[in-house]
Amino acid sequence: MARDYYEILGVSRDADKEEIKQAYRRLARKYHPDVNKEPGAEERFKEINRAYEVLSEPEIRERYNRFGEAGVSGAAAAGFQDMSDMGGFADIFESIFSGFAGGMGGPTTQRRRSGPVRGDDLRLDLKLDFREAVFGGEKEIRISHLETCDICSGSGAKPGTRPRTCSTCSGSGQVRRVTRTPFGSFTQVSTCPTCNGTGTVIEDKCDACDGKGTNQITKKLKITIPAGVDNGTRLRISQEGDAGQRGGPPGDLYVYLFVNEDEEFHRDGINILSEIKISYLQAILGCRLEVDTVDGPVELIIPAGTQPNTVMKLENRGVPRLGNPVSRGDHMLTILIDIPTKVTPEERELLEKLAKIKGERTGKGGLEGFLGNLFK
């Protein structure tokens, strides 16, 4: 028993002509044999076409509604002979598949590829030292890209000659093949195999580029690294990608930056982090120390009684803000306290006297206990 045509298209029995058309377009795109290679797709496709042929014509649809398949078998079969009676069926079908490579093509697929074509963009990964990323500057890089041939000016033809129009496709860049089926004539459009879609054929190739119109060139470039760049920052170098074809503009070069780690400094956004270790006496009494920053040595005052893991801030000693180098982050210094595990007899004697003054108990392990209390 034949399946219900409304069920095949997934529409209700009171669906209007536009709903039926949309359902057909959606299903035909999904099950066309050129697109769907699954088993049973071709049979499903035939069902969909049969259902649309019947339901898209008001008179045939009315007979189907009254008598079912028996009422339309003759009328529908007659419709195969004249696609103009199918309400633009062929046009609908051709427009559905005009976007598929190698599928049906309408007027929109007849554009030849002989116009200017922009060149490809290129990518280069570049590693920077920590301070190079902080302060920026000039950097020399080497790239390999396609440049327009100087001899033929990109035409690919030997000087004094010109490409001729392709005789296979008459310059359209495409060839069309008409296939007749029980459901009508379908046009298949594909790239011309003779000219590869350009519409022209070069008979006398340029010796310098072998007819390609471009040559692979390695060159050096000086680029400016802005202050404050970080891992993943991308720089665009205009028109340093591959050359375009047939007079098209070149692509761009994109430089992706990666920053090497530094043994002393770490980065947190626009702030720089580092650590400094001082003795327990310097922490107790306070001191002045010279510390390293990305700008060079800077004097730092350690207040008396500084606790372990205290963070001290050196303002405007961090990373310049990308795009606004006059604004900088801070340098954050974490203070580490170096507590000795062994002391000389003289040092121990002095420490024990201090412990007695503080009223601290000493003995085995007493030194550690005493120093630990100092930093509570």
Side-chain angles (χ1 to χ4, degrees):
M1 183 177 177
R3 288 180 60 195
D4 182 81
Y5 291 153
Y6 292 99
E7 180 185 339
I8 290 172
L9 294 183
V11 297
S12 64
R13 299 189 74 83
D14 58 354
D16 59 27
K17 191 171 183 178
E18 187 61 30
E19 288 179 285
I20 292 172
K21 181 187 296 185
Q22 290 177 358
Y24 166 73
R25 289 169 66 94
R26 183 181 68 255
L27 293 171
R29 183 188 292 272
K30 181 178 179 180
Y31 289 103
H32 189 274
D34 287 346
V35 178
N36 193 327
K37 303 298 182 182
E38 295 180 2
E42 185 173 357
E43 291 303 316
R44 181 85 170 95
F45 178 70
K46 290 178 181 178
E47 273 190 333
I48 294 164
N49 279 291
R50 170 68 169 164
Y52 182 72
E53 289 163 11
V54 172
L55 300 183
S56 62
E57 283 298 304
E59 293 182 4
I60 302 176
R61 179 180 176 181
E62 184 179 352
R63 284 199 296 271
Y64 175 74
N65 289 340
R66 293 179 62 188
F67 305 110
E69 175 68 22
V72 297
S73 56
F80 293 157
Q81 308 303 317
D82 185 2
M83 295 303 292
S84 64
D85 292 336
M86 297 305 297
F89 175 83
D91 291 338
I92 292 174
F93 202 81
E94 186 170 326
S95 68
I96 289 175
F97 294 98
S98 62
F100 288 98
M104 284 53 177
T108 56
T109 64
Q110 296 179 11
R111 295 188 299 268
R112 55 182 287 185
R113 298 190 298 171
S114 58
V117 178
R118 183 180 182 274
D120 291 335
D121 294 332
L122 298 180
R123 169 176 175 155
L124 175 72
D125 292 344
L126 180 63
K127 286 192 173 184
L128 301 175
D129 290 335
F130 190 86
R131 284 175 173 80
E132 286 180 320
V134 171
F135 296 112
E138 280 197 342
K139 195 82 172 174
E140 187 174 83
I141 60 174
R142 291 172 62 89
I143 63 169
S144 179
H145 66 178
L146 293 175
E147 290 191 358
T148 300
C149 178
D150 293 331
I151 304 302
C152 67
S153 300
S155 70
K158 185 176 292 187
T161 66
R162 296 176 60 185
R164 65 170 175 82
T165 301
C166 176
S167 58
T168 302
C169 63
S170 301
S172 69
Q174 296 176 328
V175 291
R176 299 166 64 88
R177 181 168 61 89
V178 178
T179 303
R180 298 191 179 278
T181 74
F183 305 109
S185 298
F186 301 117
T187 302
Q188 185 175 10
V189 181
S190 58
T191 301
C192 176
T194 304
C195 65
N196 292 321
T198 63
T200 59
V201 176
I202 300 173
E203 294 180 326
D204 296 320
K205 295 182 179 180
C206 171
D207 295 330
C209 64
D210 195 29
K212 296 188 294 292
T214 57
N215 290 311
Q216 194 78 25
I217 303 294
T218 300
K219 63 186 289 189
K220 292 182 180 179
L221 286 177
K222 278 190 176 181
I223 63 173
T224 300
I225 307 296
V229 296
D230 202 355
N231 276 314
T233 299
R234 187 184 74 171
L235 304 181
R236 174 176 168 268
I237 315 299
S238 179
Q239 298 191 339
E240 289 295 349
D242 282 341
Q245 296 179 0
R246 298 182 291 279
D252 298 327
L253 171 66
Y254 289 92
V255 181
Y256 286 76
L257 303 178
F258 298 90
V259 183
N260 292 325
E261 291 187 2
D262 189 88
E263 292 183 358
E264 185 175 5
F265 303 122
H266 301 282
R267 183 167 170 176
D268 180 18
I270 61 172
N271 292 329
I272 292 177
L273 313 178
S274 69
E275 298 175 342
I276 182 172
K277 186 176 286 188
I278 62 175
S279 72
Y280 66 95
L281 295 176
Q282 289 173 318
I284 295 169
L285 302 174
C287 62
R288 290 175 178 265
L289 291 177
E290 196 175 71
V291 297
D292 289 332
T293 71
V294 291
D295 297 301
V298 172
E299 188 178 69
L300 177 69
I301 298 176
I302 307 292
T306 295
Q307 303 297 303
N309 298 315
T310 296
V311 177
M312 303 189 69
K313 180 168 68 174
L314 297 174
E315 293 186 353
N316 297 317
R317 296 288 182 178
V319 180
R321 194 180 299 276
L322 188 62
N324 184 18
V326 296
S327 173
R328 292 182 63 174
D330 303 320
H331 187 141
M332 313 301 288
L333 272 159
T334 300
I335 308 300
L336 305 179
I337 309 297
D338 183 18
I339 299 177
T341 56
K342 292 182 179 180
V343 294
T344 65
E346 184 180 3
E347 289 172 331
R348 186 172 186 87
E349 183 180 349
L350 292 172
L351 289 169
E352 286 176 346
K353 287 181 180 179
L354 179 59
K356 287 180 181 180
I357 294 172
K358 296 281 292 181
E360 303 287 346
R361 302 175 69 181
T362 61
K364 188 175 182 181
L367 176 60
E368 288 77 5
F370 163 66
L371 292 176
N373 288 334
L374 280 179
F375 298 112
K376 284 185 178 179

